[in-house]
């Protein structure tokens, strides 16, 4: 259950470090051949890095040399921040050095032989939204902030993807001495490449441009549908803020940050006061709680960073919040939990499909400015007058989620409430046993918000006495029964060490 996941503090701290750090080696097992390869690559970085092309000639566009029917897509040349790289033939052993590069290859059907996790505290190889694409394969992990170049060399890759990576000229030189390496495009900062460009580059260099085009089209279709269904999003403002109650640390992100790119796809704009604070980059903006007014918007999305199990309580206790934020006074706030925050941060097609499932109903509930209908994740922020007991329909959705995930429900009780239960029944049985071995999993649903045949359930999860609050899940009403989505069930049981089959 999510209790075993590290708190958002670990996630956001790690991601802040990632944004400013440069990759370095760490000590680890290696072969003499790998060591020699790395030493040679390091020696080669004594001069300027000019790219991987032997003749120095670079194709001016990032597409395959020839995509005509019946001919090879290779060689393909990709321009990037450190020159240009030519890949001569179809890659078969891909190492993803960037923090989300693996999610792009997985979306196109290519499983890397090794990858870097998004953050060190992660208890799984890839985030659950990419688990189906990963299947039963277990790529090697090449470290977090300090990946081992010798380990990478020992894998004998024929391509290294370092687009969304903390790579400087020296690190790029070492990597390109091991295998053809693709870095971020010129003009973009670390972890700043837009998702469409990343998808296109990845598809071209893997020889899968059609798959890349389909990935882009699928996500664009989702964004278009969300905008069409929610016309209030267009032209409205939204801000994304982080807050640490223990230290009072508060701020947002520069408006080129990929989190704001996600919101822009839905039609939102950053508030003018925040634009004025932004230097046009993508890093964080430290503000301090005395400047809450800078982030006021039609919707405020909170990323609380305290390990307290009560994110809503931490935000609610900010003394000036309701005064400085009209959004707070009118119920126009959303709280991102660990998974939603990570999905927005990863900024890959797979993660943003997940984020759309989670955040669109939240934004729709928040933007109406009606304090009586807050976003499900933010209910704990408000003391609502005249609160009533849950309706029978809301209670049914809450009970369905408790049965789907809790340890105290039998397989027979769970079966009607879990999508694709027959295929998951053995795994669900394993999850019950794993939860009991860890002290028992208790799910307490606190609220359900229903729109037609969709319910968003807010809940607390407890494992062996530790509780995480203000989580959310989405259920669909099928033939009159509330059914938990397969992906969300798999998401949560992954945190007690149980993996769903692909």
């Amino acid at each position: 259950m999510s209790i075993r996941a590290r708190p958002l503090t670990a996630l956001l701290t790690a991601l802040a470090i990632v944004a400013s750090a440069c990759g370095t080696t760490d000590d680890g097992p290696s072969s003499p051949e790998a060591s020699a390869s790395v030493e040679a690559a390091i020696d080669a970085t004594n001069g300027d890095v000019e790219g991987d092309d032997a003749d120095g000639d670079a194709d001016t566009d990032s597409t395959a040399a020839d995509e005509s029917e019946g001919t090879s897509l290779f060689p393909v040349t990709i321009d990037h921040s450190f020159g240009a790289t030519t890949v001569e033939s179809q890659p078969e052993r891909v190492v993803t050095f960037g923090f989300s590069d693996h999610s792009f290859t997985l979306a196109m059907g290519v499983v890397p032989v090794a990858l870097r996790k998004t953050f060190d505290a992660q208890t799984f190889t890839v985030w659950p939204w990419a688990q189906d694409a990963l299947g039963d394969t277990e790529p090697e992990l090449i470290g977090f902030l300090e990946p081992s170049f010798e380990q990478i060399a020992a894998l004998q890759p024929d391509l290294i993807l370092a687009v969304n990576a903390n790579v400087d000229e020296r690190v790029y030189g070492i990597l390109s001495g091991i295998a053809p390496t693709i870095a971020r495009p010129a003009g973009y900062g670390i972890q700043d490449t837009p998702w469409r460009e990343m998808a296109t580059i990845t598809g071209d260099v893997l020889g899968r441009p059609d798959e890349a085009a389909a990935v882009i089209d699928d996500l664009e279709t989702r964004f278009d549908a969300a905008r069409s269904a929610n016309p209030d999003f267009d032209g409205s403002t939204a801000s994304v803020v982080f807050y640490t109650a223990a230290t009072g640390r508060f701020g947002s992100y520069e408006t080129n940050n990929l989190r704001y790119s996600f919101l822009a796809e839905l039609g939102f704009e950053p508030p003018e006061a925040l634009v004025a604070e932004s230097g046009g980059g993508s890093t964080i903006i430290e503000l301090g709680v005395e400047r809450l007014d800078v982030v006021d918007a039609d919707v405020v999305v909170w990323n609380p960073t305290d390990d307290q199990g009560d994110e809503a309580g931490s935000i609610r206790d900010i003394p000036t919040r309701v005064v400085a934020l009209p959004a707070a006074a009118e119920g126009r706030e959303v709280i991102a939990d660990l998974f939603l925050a990570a999905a927005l941060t990863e900024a890959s097609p797979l993660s943003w499909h997940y984020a759309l499932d989670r955040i669109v109903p939240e934004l729709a509930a928040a933007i109406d400015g009606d304090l009586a209908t807050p976003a499900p994740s933010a209910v704990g922020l408000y003391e609502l007058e005249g609160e009533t007991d849950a309706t029978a329909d809301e209670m049914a959705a809450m009970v369905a989620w408790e049965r789907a995930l809790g340890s105290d429900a039998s397989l027979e009780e769970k079966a009607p409430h879990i999508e694709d239960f027959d295929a998951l029944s053995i795994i669900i049985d394993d999850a019950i046993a794993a939860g009991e071995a860890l002290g028992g999993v208790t799910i307490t649903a606190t609220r359900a918000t229903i729109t037609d045949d969709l319910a968003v359930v807010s809940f607390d999860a407890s494992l062996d006495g530790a509780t995480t609050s203000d989580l959310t899940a989405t259920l669909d009403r099928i033939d009159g029964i509330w059914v938990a989505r397969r992906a969300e069930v798999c998401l949560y049981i992954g945190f007690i060490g149980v993996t769903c089959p692909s």
Side-chain angles (χ1 to χ4, degrees):
M1 206 51 61
S2 59
I3 305 308
R4 298 196 63 204
R6 305 294 192 199
L8 269 174
T9 309
L11 170 65
L12 297 178
T13 300
L15 293 176
I17 294 170
V18 168
S20 60
C22 290
T24 57
T25 59
D26 62 5
D27 294 329
S30 63
S31 67
E33 293 81 2
S35 297
S37 175
V38 171
E39 288 172 5
I42 292 173
D43 289 341
T45 64
N46 290 332
D48 292 335
V49 175
E50 297 292 345
D52 294 323
D53 286 342
D55 60 5
D57 293 333
D59 204 323
T60 56
D61 66 49
S62 301
T63 59
D66 186 353
E67 291 183 335
S68 61
E69 185 175 353
T71 63
S72 172
L73 296 173
F74 293 92
V76 58
T77 298
I78 304 293
D79 290 328
H80 52 72
S81 294
F82 304 110
T85 297
T86 294
V87 179
E88 298 292 346
S89 59
Q90 183 86 45
E92 296 182 357
R93 296 184 59 78
V94 179
V95 168
T96 55
F97 192 84
F99 290 101
S100 67
D101 290 19
H102 65 273
S103 202
F104 284 83
T105 70
L106 288 170
M108 298 173 201
V110 175
V111 179
V113 296
L115 57 84
R116 291 174 80 179
K117 295 193 295 183
T118 304
F119 73 107
D120 199 29
Q122 201 168 313
T123 56
F124 37 81
T125 306
V126 303
W127 287 99
W129 47 77
Q131 285 288 342
D132 283 349
L134 182 66
D136 296 328
T137 307
E138 295 186 10
E140 281 196 34
L141 301 179
I142 55 174
F144 172 52
L145 291 182
E146 298 183 349
S148 167
F149 296 127
E150 292 183 353
Q151 182 188 7
I152 294 171
L155 289 165
Q156 298 182 324
D158 50 19
L159 175 67
I160 299 173
L161 285 173
V163 183
N164 187 22
N166 52 329
V167 171
D168 60 10
E169 194 171 43
R170 172 183 172 274
V171 172
Y172 172 77
I174 296 171
L175 292 173
S176 62
I178 298 172
T181 299
I182 311 298
R184 64 185 178 275
Y188 294 111
I190 294 171
Q191 298 174 282
D192 197 21
T193 305
W195 71 272
R196 287 180 182 83
E197 191 153 359
M198 277 196 69
T200 300
I201 291 170
T202 304
D204 286 347
V205 78
L206 294 177
R208 300 196 174 200
D210 291 343
E211 287 85 346
V215 165
I216 293 171
D217 184 65
D218 286 347
L219 186 52
E220 287 180 339
T221 299
R222 287 288 311 278
F223 277 122
D224 289 345
R227 289 180 71 156
S228 296
N230 298 278
D232 288 346
F233 290 0
D234 267 319
S236 294
T237 57
S239 60
V240 184
V241 298
F242 59 82
Y243 175 60
T244 307
T247 62
R249 187 170 182 247
F250 171 83
S252 184
Y253 307 88
E254 296 197 63
T255 52
N256 281 345
N257 186 276
L258 295 177
R259 296 169 181 83
Y260 282 107
S261 298
F262 175 89
L263 291 169
E265 298 278 1
L266 291 172
F268 288 97
E269 302 170 357
E272 290 184 6
L274 188 62
V275 173
E277 294 284 337
S278 179
S282 62
T283 56
I284 62 175
I285 301 174
E286 296 276 2
L287 292 171
V289 292
E290 69 279 2
R291 304 190 66 199
L292 285 171
D293 59 296
V294 174
V295 301
D296 187 52
D298 294 319
V299 179
V300 175
V301 180
W302 289 89
N303 280 354
T305 61
D306 283 297
D307 182 19
Q308 297 182 357
D310 183 15
E311 289 82 1
S314 299
I315 298 166
R316 190 176 60 241
D317 290 342
I318 299 174
T320 59
R321 170 178 145 263
V322 175
V323 175
L325 290 180
E330 297 174 8
R332 294 184 278 106
E333 297 167 287
V334 171
I335 300 177
D337 62 15
L338 172 70
F339 311 113
L340 179 54
L344 293 173
T345 299
E346 185 177 278
S348 74
L350 292 176
S351 76
W352 278 4
H353 275 290
Y354 169 82
L356 283 167
D357 288 338
R358 291 285 312 280
I359 203 171
V360 168
E362 296 273 341
L363 294 170
I367 202 170
D368 64 3
D370 184 355
L371 191 58
T373 59
S377 63
V379 169
L381 293 178
Y382 315 110
E383 294 181 4
L384 304 179
E385 295 182 4
E387 289 189 78
T388 59
D389 293 336
T391 66
D393 211 13
E394 291 167 345
M395 282 298 300
M398 294 162 67
V399 170
W401 181 244
E402 290 178 348
R403 288 179 177 172
L405 224 60
S407 292
D408 55 351
S410 66
L411 286 177
E412 290 74 18
E413 291 173 314
K414 292 177 181 293
H417 302 296
I418 297 178
E419 179 187 15
D420 199 21
F421 179 81
D422 289 343
L424 297 180
S425 58
I426 295 176
I427 298 300
I428 298 300
D429 202 22
D430 291 343
I432 294 174
E436 290 176 346
L438 293 168
V441 176
T442 300
I443 301 298
T444 305
T446 56
R447 180 183 174 92
T449 301
I450 295 176
T451 305
D452 298 327
D453 288 328
L454 182 145
V456 178
V457 175
S458 300
F459 68 100
D460 302 337
S462 299
L463 176 65
D464 196 24
T467 299
T468 296
S469 302
D470 302 321
L471 300 169
T472 61
T474 305
L475 289 81
D476 299 294
R477 179 161 35 202
I478 301 173
D479 296 330
I481 297 174
W482 289 109
V483 179
R485 295 177 177 179
R486 181 186 194 276
E488 298 214 10
V489 172
C490 292
L491 178 79
Y492 286 105
I493 67 174
F495 282 89
I496 54 174
V498 177
T499 302
C500 288
S502 58

